[in-house]
Amino acid sequence: MKVNEAIIDCLTENDIDTLFGIPGKQSLPLNESISERDDIQFVMARHETAVSHQAWGYAETSGGMAATVVIPGPGDMNAMNGLKNALNDCTPLLHIAVETEPEIRGGDGIHETPPDTYDNVVKENITVETPESTVAELQRAIDAAQTAPNGPVRIGIPKNFLKMDVSLAERGDIERQTFSGVPEGKVAAAADLLADASKPIIVAGGGVRASEASDELRAVAERLEAPVVLTYKGKAVFPDDHELMGGVLCGGTGTAVKELIADADAALGVGTDFDAVSMHGWSIEIPDDLVHVTLGADDIGTGYEPAVGIVADAARTLEALDGELADRSIAGGNGSERVRKTRDAVDERLEELRAVTEAPLTSVKALDAIRAGTPRDAVVAVDAGGFRLWTLVMFPTYEPRDYVNPGSWATMGSGVPSAIGAKVANPEQDVVALTGDGGLLMCLHELHTLADEEIDVTVVVLNNSDYAIISEEAGRSYRMDEGEYGWEETPVSYTTVAEGLGLEVERAETPDEIESTVADAIASDGPTLVEIPTDPYEPQSGVWMN
């Protein structure tokens, strides 16, 4: 059988129905196979950096997996940014890299890069060595990407293999690694510790989303009457309108949320590795009576020493923990009152920024208006940048797969590409890309992908003509001017650029205009860009909230 056709068969048999990529001469045999089928689609990006972000957004918002395909060398290396982002976020995706022919390898063939270049940006890096082994190795890559903890897997397939007609090896079925059980003794010890606490708290991360454990998290939180604080990768796994929702840990986390955690006498950390970004270099105080549940064994004891450590699936552990707690008397309570005081303190700190009603608005005021114009059940894909921290602090989210933002890799330029992936994965849902102008400049080309592929995403760009989060630090902590890294004298009109790339465009400046314009853009057919001017000299969240 022809290798190119067998590859596409293998993908569809594993429920992979979307490839994001940019065609090259090396990858045309795969594109030929795709073009002759109706059970798989190829979404053509405009830059390889966006390709892996698109697949990441697809997986983050669907729980499924997409694939990417790029040419050797430059294409592969451009995609590394998104692969590292997916690795840090434990997001499954399959990265197909068309490789240099084995007989030319080492001879500086066109686009040649040593395959081991990519070892540190993926969960596993597989190079196919013989044409007969291609599909067996591809299946191994797919299984590895979806084996907990998930992650991106790169498979390099030499370009000359793709057109060969050979007898292909098949791989027998394997059991993908799952954490089907929990250590009962440890769960019982955790239940004792949490039940005896007078002021317990829960810190939940992206692992709750990965294991589809939001319902189990809610059950344990309500049984303990414990406030829930989410990490930046866990945002949306617990709804913002729940009375126990206490805030988000990120670079913008303020004093009130930190004090909520420090005031607790026991903590349950679940689906999080307590990374240095969430925990501000582990300066945030966590109670000594800590139960830590994670899939990564080497996360246990990193940053904080737990009283009870459990390496297991979040959903199964929370379900078992809730069962144990049901048989115990719960000493704590009053979690909603503790949360109310925290929220009041946060709202009081935000009051001055929300009082601005004339352009240019603060990010806080603009985001309030955007949220008011965005349907509750829309998917929101958020780029990195200073505005994202405000989004994490005060932009309400409700469902675990309806919000996506980059984790500790914090790469800019991911907002629009991830929204493209989200819309392809969720065609019936409204999808909004939230981006700053700095982030949009790093993926501006993908506006053309939206137009050409007729992908109905609403792009909302907060335009302050500045890398403001950097300028603020430069002016505050170094001998540099206010707005050191801004470009107010050469402003970009994103409505002009987007219109030239084929999108419908709107501009809104006041809160009422923003709410109605965003709502109309989302309701309309086809991709639309909404440009909103914001204040380049506004306070940054990491300073203001503290």
Side-chain angles (χ1 to χ4, degrees):
M1 183 176 188
K2 286 189 175 181
V3 172
N4 60 336
E5 296 173 358
I7 288 172
I8 304 305
D9 282 344
C10 183
L11 296 180
T12 57
E13 288 165 6
N14 282 274
D15 299 321
I16 298 173
D17 61 7
T18 304
L19 271 84
F20 298 96
I22 296 181
K25 289 185 177 180
Q26 299 90 337
S27 64
L28 282 177
L30 289 176
N31 291 90
E32 177 187 49
S33 297
I34 295 169
S35 69
E36 296 171 343
R37 309 175 63 131
D38 57 11
D39 57 350
I40 190 165
Q41 63 178 324
F42 180 78
V43 178
M44 185 175 70
R46 298 302 181 270
H47 196 283
E48 292 94 346
T49 302
V51 165
S52 43
H53 292 320
Q54 289 167 355
W56 167 75
Y58 183 106
E60 288 273 290
T61 60
S62 69
M65 188 171 80
T68 58
V69 59
V70 296
I71 64 167
D76 216 358
M77 294 192 78
N78 282 332
M80 287 177 75
N81 187 8
L83 295 178
K84 175 62 173 171
N85 189 39
L87 179 67
N88 283 25
D89 291 353
C90 297
T91 303
L93 64 89
L94 177 71
H95 179 64
I96 301 173
V98 182
E99 271 285 358
T100 304
E101 303 97 312
E103 58 271 21
I104 294 177
R105 198 176 293 159
D108 286 336
I110 186 169
H111 298 328
E112 182 181 356
T113 309
D116 61 2
T117 300
Y118 310 96
D119 285 353
N120 293 319
V121 298
V122 290
K123 178 181 177 183
E124 190 168 347
N125 185 16
I126 299 169
T127 301
V128 178
E129 299 294 349
T130 65
E132 290 83 359
S133 68
T134 301
V135 171
E137 291 287 62
L138 181 63
Q139 185 63 55
R140 178 161 75 95
I142 292 169
D143 289 337
Q146 297 182 94
T147 294
N150 297 338
V153 174
R154 175 186 180 274
I155 180 166
I157 305 175
K159 63 183 181 181
N160 59 322
F161 290 4
L162 297 177
K163 294 187 287 185
M164 292 184 179
D165 192 343
V166 298
S167 177
L168 289 160
E170 291 188 17
R171 191 163 179 260
D173 293 336
I174 67 162
E175 293 292 331
R176 291 174 183 166
Q177 177 178 311
T178 58
F179 289 77
S180 57
V182 298
E184 296 178 1
K186 288 288 187 179
V187 171
D192 288 339
L193 184 152
L194 294 167
D196 290 343
S198 60
K199 291 188 289 185
I201 196 163
I202 298 173
V203 178
V208 173
R209 178 183 296 106
S211 66
E212 309 287 353
S214 287
D215 289 344
E216 291 83 355
L217 172 63
R218 182 170 183 156
V220 170
E222 291 176 348
R223 190 177 296 282
L224 289 170
E225 294 185 58
V228 176
V229 175
L230 305 177
T231 70
Y232 57 99
K233 277 307 299 183
K235 185 173 173 69
V237 304
F238 197 80
D240 270 286
D241 55 358
H242 194 287
E243 64 179 3
L244 292 173
M245 175 56 188
V248 175
L249 290 169
C250 63
T253 300
T255 304
V257 175
K258 294 174 185 175
E259 289 180 346
L260 175 66
I261 299 171
D263 190 48
D265 59 354
L268 167 62
V270 58
T272 177
D273 57 2
F274 287 118
D275 68 73
V277 177
S278 293
M279 309 312 295
H280 293 208
W282 303 293
S283 65
I284 293 177
E285 294 182 38
I286 292 286
D288 291 337
D289 284 345
L290 168 64
V291 177
H292 189 185
V293 181
T294 177
L295 287 182
D298 55 358
D299 295 333
I300 303 289
T302 299
Y304 303 96
E305 184 177 342
V308 180
I310 298 174
V311 180
D313 174 73
R316 294 179 185 277
T317 304
L318 287 168
E319 182 180 23
L321 180 59
D322 188 48
E324 290 284 347
L325 289 170
D327 297 330
R328 287 163 171 77
S329 175
I330 306 299
N334 208 28
S336 58
E337 177 62 19
R338 291 152 60 201
V339 165
R340 186 190 63 77
K341 290 179 180 179
T342 300
R343 285 187 169 187
D344 287 348
V346 170
D347 286 341
E348 183 178 353
R349 197 76 186 114
L350 294 172
E351 186 175 353
E352 183 177 335
L353 304 182
R354 283 183 163 138
V356 179
T357 57
E358 295 183 0
L361 299 177
T362 63
S363 293
V364 168
K365 189 65 176 179
L367 288 167
D368 277 342
I370 293 166
R371 179 72 266 187
T374 301
R376 180 185 176 96
D377 60 353
V379 176
V380 179
V382 185
D383 211 321
F387 87 96
R388 177 185 72 126
L389 297 179
W390 284 122
T391 304
L392 290 165
V393 168
M394 47 68 60
F395 189 87
T397 55
Y398 307 105
E399 294 293 334
R401 296 287 179 187
D402 288 354
Y403 179 90
V404 55
N405 76 151
S408 60
W409 191 234
T411 181
M412 295 179 71
S414 62
V416 172
S418 63
I420 289 172
K423 185 63 178 180
V424 172
N426 305 277
E428 302 305 315
Q429 277 187 275
D430 295 317
V431 175
V432 176
L434 286 184
T435 183
D437 54 327
L440 184 56
L441 282 174
M442 297 185 189
C443 62
L444 201 59
H445 37 78
E446 295 313 304
L447 296 180
H448 192 247
T449 302
L450 285 174
D452 184 57
E453 298 277 349
E454 299 180 340
I455 299 172
D456 187 8
V457 168
T458 300
V459 179
V460 181
V461 54
L462 305 183
N463 183 6
N464 59 16
S465 297
D466 201 330
Y467 289 130
I469 194 171
I470 308 303
S471 289
E472 187 275 339
E473 176 73 9
R476 175 169 51 85
S477 302
Y478 299 90
R479 294 189 301 274
M480 300 187 210
D481 295 334
E482 186 178 48
E484 179 76 19
Y485 298 109
W487 48 90
E488 282 187 293
E489 294 182 3
T490 53
V492 178
S493 169
Y494 291 95
T495 53
T496 301
V497 173
E499 188 172 32
L501 291 172
L503 275 70
E504 297 294 321
V505 296
E506 299 288 347
R507 182 178 169 90
E509 297 187 356
T510 68
D512 288 344
E513 287 175 353
I514 293 168
E515 180 179 347
S516 61
T517 301
V518 168
D520 290 345
I522 294 171
S524 68
D525 292 329
T528 304
L529 179 137
V530 179
E531 182 176 5
I532 301 169
T534 56
D535 183 5
Y537 306 114
E538 68 176 348
Q540 295 297 315
S541 58
V543 177
W544 184 260
M545 297 308 294
N546 287 281

